[in-house]
Structures are given as structure tokens and as C-alpha cells.
Amino acid sequence: MQNTAGPAFLADCPTRLSTEILADKWSALVLFGLSQRPRRHGELIEAIGGISRKVLTQTLRRLQQYGLIERDAETARQVEYRLTDLGQTLIEPIEVLTSWARDHGAAVADFQEAAEAGSAGGPPRDVPEVADGAGEPTRHGSARSST
């Protein structure tokens, strides 16, 4: 089978930057938090559980440098952040990833728990079952017959 990824594996490929942006958990959450409407810094803190003010500020600056959000400051105390047209194009992929996480998050947590139990010297645990594309359960790492 031919490698269809093409230049995505090259170090200077722009797809790496895109992947880096979406791989950062805070970036995806901030972008999603701004998807409905512009928000102020404090509103984003409330909307995104677990993010510190410092990390939010760093994330907002980085997303602004990438051209994905813009900072609208009427005064020093009235600053809002909003998605740019370019940032708006990431909402659909983020929604797809969110849907995948909703559908498969429990399976990922089960695998993680099984791996941690196995590395702690405990008895081996069954590998969790996950649904394949056809909705049929399959064990991770097992080969399915094509009959």
C-alpha cells in the first residue's frame, strides 16, 4: 500500500503546525469556548474547568499569533476574544473530535486503567472491547477474520 500521507511527515510541513495546535488540550477547548460567541478572559476561565489564568493567557496569545483568534480591547478592562474567519474553520474538526471522545472516551479510560494495573504488577486484565466501524465489539490488538 502506498503512503498517502505525502509531505505530512516532513519536518517543515504546515500540517504539523495544525496538528500541534489541535493536540494542545487547552487550544482546542479555548477555540471551542469561543465558537458560540466572543468571550472575556474571566468567562473563558469559568467555561473551561481546570485552566489557570496564566495558561489561558499563554494559550490566547499563541492562538492570536496563529491568526485563529483576535483580541478586541475597547479599554484595558473590557477585552474580548473572538474567533477569526480562519479560527472558525477549526470548529467542525473540533466538534468531530469531541464526538469521537464522547463515543470512545470510556474505552480509552478502560485501556488506560488496564495498562496501569498491568504495570503495577497486578494480575493481567482482559483487554477492553471496543466497537469497530460496524458497531461490532472487537478486542484491541486482535485480528478479525474476514469471513
Side-chain angles (χ1 to χ4, degrees), residues 22 28-29 31-32 35 88-105:
L22 287 178
L29 290 170
L31 290 166
F32 196 67
S35 66
Q88 199 65 268
T89 64
L90 281 172
I91 298 310
E92 184 177 348
I94 290 171
E95 287 174 341
V96 169
L97 287 171
T98 300
S99 178
W100 181 90
R102 205 175 298 119
D103 293 344
H104 301 287

Side-chain angles (χ1 to χ4, degrees), residues 10-80:
L10 298 176
D12 60 348
C13 181
T15 59
R16 286 216 179 167
L17 176 60
S18 303
T19 303
E20 193 175 303
I21 292 167
L22 287 178
D24 178 78
K25 71 177 177 180
W26 299 121
S27 293
L29 290 170
V30 168
L31 290 166
F32 196 67
L34 293 172
S35 66
Q36 299 299 313
R37 62 182 173 83
R39 294 180 191 247
R40 297 176 64 172
H41 194 276
E43 291 176 303
L44 286 168
I45 290 284
E46 289 176 17
I48 303 170
I51 192 169
S52 70
R53 291 185 177 279
K54 177 183 176 184
V55 170
L56 176 59
T57 298
Q58 292 169 340
T59 303
L60 288 167
R61 286 180 182 157
R62 189 171 48 255
L63 293 173
Q64 190 176 3
Q65 289 171 346
Y66 292 146
L68 300 174
I69 66 169
E70 58 189 12
R71 181 179 187 269
D72 183 22
E74 291 182 24
T75 69
R77 292 193 169 268
Q78 292 187 331
V79 178
E80 279 190 337

Side-chain angles (χ1 to χ4, degrees), residues 3-10 13:
N3 180 355
T4 59
F9 288 111
L10 298 176
C13 181

